[in-house]
Amino acid sequence: MRAARHYCVPILCLLAASAAALTAIGVHDELRGASFWLAIELPHPADFHQLLVRDSVLPRVAVTLLCGAALALAGTLSQQVLRNPLAEPMTLGVLPGAYLAVTAAAIWAPAWLDTQREVVALVGGAVAILVVLALAWPQRMSSLAVILAGMVVNLLFGALSMAIAWTHYEMLRGVLIWGGGALDQSGWGTTSRLAVWVGLMLLPVWWLRRPLAAFEAGDATVQSLGISVQQMRVVALAVTVALAACVVATVGVIGFIGLAAPVIARLAGARRVGQRLVWAPVLGALLLWATDELVQTVSKSDVLSGHLILTGTVTSLLGVPFLIALLPRLRAAPDIASADRSHTSVHRPRWTVPVWIGLTLATFGISLLFTRGLHGWRILPHSDLLLSWGLPHTLAAMGAGALLGLSGTLLQRMTANPMASPDLLGVSSGSALGMVVVLFAATQVSPMGLLGGCVGGAVAALGLLLWLGGRAGFAPERMVLVGVALSAFFQSVVGAVMAGGDSRAALLLNLMLGNTYFVQPATAYCAAVLALVALMLVPLLGRWLEALALGARFAHGIGVPVVSARFAVLLFASVLTAASTLVAGPLTFVGLIAPHLARLSGARRPDKQARIAALIGGVLMGFSEWFGRQIMYPEAMPAGLIATLVGSSYFIAMVLRRRT
């Protein structure tokens, strides 16, 4: 316990002192010389400042402490039972599920949000985790099966939320603000309900404390002790869902705390699970309290007094750099090897290369020629219209899909991790952030300016990724951890811009969803040419990819320069991702599903898998672009959004059919 006290106590004292000092300053300024104790015990009914302190300031502090503790405890439970430092409520799909439920209710059942917001959010989170459990159950609830299922559900529910926001943007500004984590309070009612929920959840946590300690030794040891691995995971994940859902229902989406607090507690000396169950919630409560007080202090300044600053967003902005700085000391790593084993079972080839080539040509022809008009379906008769409108949009979508398929194949082969994708490593988010900077900093937005911002953001993300990962020799597990942290940072910035109410946020939403309406012909042709060039260059990396997939030691033993090979693959994948993000947005589910479908088609060697993945990506994006133009005619839904909805739905159905 000495190590925990030596490191944890000073950190907790520093956070508590900083938060308490900022709170005291804020309360003093608000009371304007009045007695603090009088404001608590018997405030004057006509004194607005005393009432504000008692019914708003102090309840906000209490809610902040409860939310931080609940999220940290949820993160500790999920990380322990899954033995993965990436596990937290967001990974399990609870937060996107609750957000989707509230978003849908705001449009079709707004009366529910007035009296039953908590119930709506709880139902959404429960549905999300049920889908995750259904996907992971055939895999015997293995750690990586749950994580992969949660990632798929995150993408699907996030895409559904963005689809609703895209069609009803003006009606959902309040929901967007709530989605960033709003801790404002108007009384003690919410605090009381949240305290009761968190208190009830402490009972099963106390019962789980001893079985959880056995998970440190692995599933085989747990089973040898007579403990049901699946049962303990289900119970622990159910408690995690309950804790996270009650927080979301109370204050909205607050990320990072559930991921950061347990990791920081471990690094500070809390090695045993019993220690982390105590230190992590305290650390999470104080971390969120200090962050919220800092947000309130900054928002009162003259420079930012007119801007909306969300605490949930700032937690990622402040916490992610600190977590990245501590990652070199983190010994725990994702179970990459287990992930590879769980998804490399032998499958008979179902489709061949000629079939996918035929599907590609058919998709190209249908998307180019058949369309809906005012008088029903027709074939485009004018060649000028084909060249000026149909051909650029079709080439842009299919080229972006091919680039995503290639990029996903490269990353999955290089890391030997079926969960690897461009968005998981932060490159797509970096590209999106570059577009945000150009969109809000430039006086006139041009396609070349957006391209420059997109490439610049991808290069910046890649540079940071290489700098941080280079210290560990570009080890796959370290790259995944750093990539997730970078994605959280970049996405928090984009989320803050989206929730700020700026008029340009609607344009940003179209770019984020991959609306090909904004793609210029020159950009479309460049995307198609780049996809063809990339297809010709991928075979040059085939030997490296095969060796890296078998491990660094094996690759080094046969003469492969491991560090240089990983650097080259990462650089190549980042360039492809940057180009595809400009066309299809950062929703890159195609980069995850196309390599899986290519492997199911019988592709075992990297070069063949890359070619088939490129064809699959092109088919998926090309069909999505065409279908998006027809489903809501004369409006057109973004191709990136349609691809995510179709791809994730198919992937879920495919996993449910598997019983391996």
Side-chain angles (χ1 to χ4, degrees):
M1 197 65 181
R2 288 183 178 180
R5 288 178 178 175
H6 180 72
Y7 294 104
C8 285
V9 172
I11 294 176
L12 297 179
C13 291
L14 178 61
L15 288 174
S18 302
L22 292 175
T23 302
I25 294 174
V27 170
H28 180 270
D29 294 340
E30 193 64 47
L31 288 176
R32 306 190 179 201
S35 172
F36 173 73
W37 299 111
L38 183 61
I40 296 177
E41 296 177 358
L42 189 61
H44 194 281
D47 193 330
F48 172 76
H49 297 283
Q50 292 185 11
L51 295 175
L52 187 64
V53 170
R54 188 192 68 173
D55 296 331
S56 180
V57 175
L58 296 182
R60 177 165 181 158
V61 173
V63 166
T64 300
L65 293 173
L66 288 171
C67 289
L71 290 173
L73 184 58
T76 303
L77 291 174
S78 60
Q79 291 180 15
Q80 183 66 20
V81 296
L82 298 177
R83 290 183 287 110
N84 191 327
L86 299 180
E88 57 129 353
M90 180 68 77
T91 307
L92 299 177
V94 179
L95 302 184
Y99 182 70
L100 173 60
V102 174
T103 302
I107 298 299
W108 293 291
W112 290 4
L113 298 183
D114 296 334
T115 57
Q116 300 178 358
R117 178 185 290 265
E118 293 82 3
V119 176
V120 171
L122 286 172
V123 170
V127 170
I129 194 60
L130 287 177
V131 176
V132 172
L133 295 178
L135 293 175
W137 193 263
Q139 304 293 332
R140 298 182 179 181
M141 290 294 296
S142 65
S143 300
L144 262 296
V146 175
I147 294 297
L148 181 58
M151 183 178 178
V152 174
V153 171
N154 270 318
L155 289 168
L156 176 59
F157 282 23
L160 290 172
S161 298
M162 296 189 75
I164 297 175
W166 182 79
T167 55
H168 303 84
Y169 176 75
E170 294 297 331
M171 300 175 59
L172 291 176
R173 287 190 177 182
V175 177
L176 291 173
I177 294 174
W178 176 83
L183 294 169
D184 304 88
Q185 299 298 312
S186 58
W188 289 90
T190 300
T191 306
S192 302
R193 292 194 301 270
L194 182 60
V196 171
W197 273 99
V198 175
L200 291 175
M201 291 302 104
L202 293 180
L203 298 177
V205 171
W206 174 263
W207 176 72
L208 287 170
R209 72 190 190 284
R210 295 186 183 276
L212 286 175
F215 277 86
E216 296 283 355
D219 292 354
T221 302
V222 176
Q223 293 176 350
S224 66
L225 296 175
I227 301 174
S228 174
V229 176
Q230 294 185 12
Q231 182 181 1
M232 287 298 100
R233 279 185 175 147
V234 170
V235 174
L237 292 178
V239 177
T240 299
V241 171
L243 287 169
C246 69
V247 172
V248 174
T250 303
V251 299
V253 179
I254 297 181
F256 180 76
I257 298 296
L259 175 66
V263 173
I264 296 176
R266 181 191 292 271
L267 294 174
R271 304 299 182 189
R272 299 178 181 177
V273 63
Q275 297 173 342
R276 292 197 298 276
L277 288 175
V278 175
W279 290 111
V282 177
L283 179 61
L286 294 178
L287 183 62
L288 186 58
W289 183 24
T291 303
D292 185 52
E293 292 299 330
L294 182 61
V295 168
Q296 294 184 71
T297 301
V298 173
S299 62
K300 294 177 183 178
S301 62
D302 296 334
V303 179
L304 299 175
S305 59
H307 295 77
L308 178 63
I309 304 178
L310 303 174
T311 303
T313 299
V314 176
T315 54
S316 296
L317 295 179
L318 295 180
V320 170
F322 181 58
L323 178 61
I324 291 176
L326 294 177
L327 281 179
R329 297 182 56 187
L330 183 65
R331 296 182 180 179
D335 194 358
I336 298 281
S338 176
D340 189 55
R341 288 193 300 269
S342 63
H343 292 274
T344 55
S345 55
V346 177
H347 295 274
R348 295 181 179 178
R350 299 181 181 180
W351 303 285
T352 59
V353 175
V355 171
W356 282 113
I357 293 177
L359 289 175
T360 302
L361 295 176
T363 302
F364 181 80
I366 293 174
S367 177
L368 194 63
L369 297 176
F370 292 92
T371 187
R372 232 174 123 184
L374 296 176
H375 304 288
W377 292 91
R378 64 188 180 90
I379 299 178
L380 290 178
H382 303 295
S383 59
D384 294 339
L385 187 59
L386 287 176
L387 295 177
S388 62
W389 177 259
L391 183 60
H393 288 77
T394 301
L395 287 178
M398 300 189 71
L403 293 173
L404 289 174
L406 289 172
S407 179
T409 303
L410 293 175
L411 294 176
Q412 290 183 16
R413 283 283 183 169
M414 191 269 294
T415 61
N417 182 0
M419 294 196 320
S421 59
D423 53 337
L424 187 63
L425 294 182
V427 181
S428 296
S429 299
S431 301
L433 182 60
M435 289 194 294
V436 171
V437 172
V438 172
L439 185 62
F440 285 84
T443 55
Q444 292 184 349
V445 180
S446 63
M448 292 303 299
L450 289 176
L451 176 61
C454 188
V455 175
V459 171
L462 174 64
L464 188 58
L465 187 67
L466 295 177
W467 177 63
L468 296 170
R471 298 181 179 181
F474 302 107
E477 64 273 8
R478 186 69 64 203
M479 302 299 289
V480 171
L481 285 170
V482 174
V484 168
L486 291 177
S487 295
F489 181 83
F490 291 140
Q491 290 175 2
S492 65
V493 175
V494 175
V497 174
M498 292 295 299
D502 193 284
S503 59
R504 290 168 290 187
L507 176 59
L508 175 62
L509 183 60
N510 281 279
L511 295 175
M512 296 289 290
L513 294 176
N515 196 337
T516 56
Y517 178 83
F518 298 97
V519 177
Q520 298 295 318
T523 305
Y525 299 144
C526 289
V529 172
L530 180 60
L532 294 176
V533 173
L535 278 173
M536 292 185 291
L537 295 179
V538 163
L540 301 178
L541 303 174
R543 178 173 174 270
W544 284 357
L545 293 173
E546 282 189 297
L548 291 174
L550 297 176
R553 290 186 178 181
F554 177 83
H556 183 75
I558 62 175
V560 174
V562 176
V563 176
S564 300
R566 286 174 174 168
F567 175 85
V569 173
L570 279 173
L571 181 61
F572 190 33
S574 299
V575 173
L576 301 182
T577 302
S580 63
T581 301
L582 183 63
V583 177
L587 289 177
T588 51
F589 191 79
V590 174
L592 177 66
I593 190 174
H596 285 267
L597 293 179
R599 180 164 292 187
L600 289 175
S601 301
R604 294 291 180 264
R605 298 183 61 86
D607 52 350
K608 184 177 181 180
Q609 184 184 10
R611 290 195 297 269
I612 296 180
L615 293 175
I616 294 173
V619 170
L620 182 57
M621 284 299 301
F623 173 79
S624 299
E625 192 274 333
W626 174 81
F627 187 72
R629 283 189 277 121
Q630 318 305 327
I631 188 174
M632 293 181 62
Y633 181 85
E635 298 289 338
M637 292 193 69
L641 176 59
I642 296 293
T644 304
L645 295 175
V646 174
S648 57
S649 301
Y650 175 79
F651 191 78
I652 288 177
M654 180 186 66
V655 173
L656 288 176
R657 287 198 302 266
R658 293 178 60 183
R659 292 295 184 266
T660 57

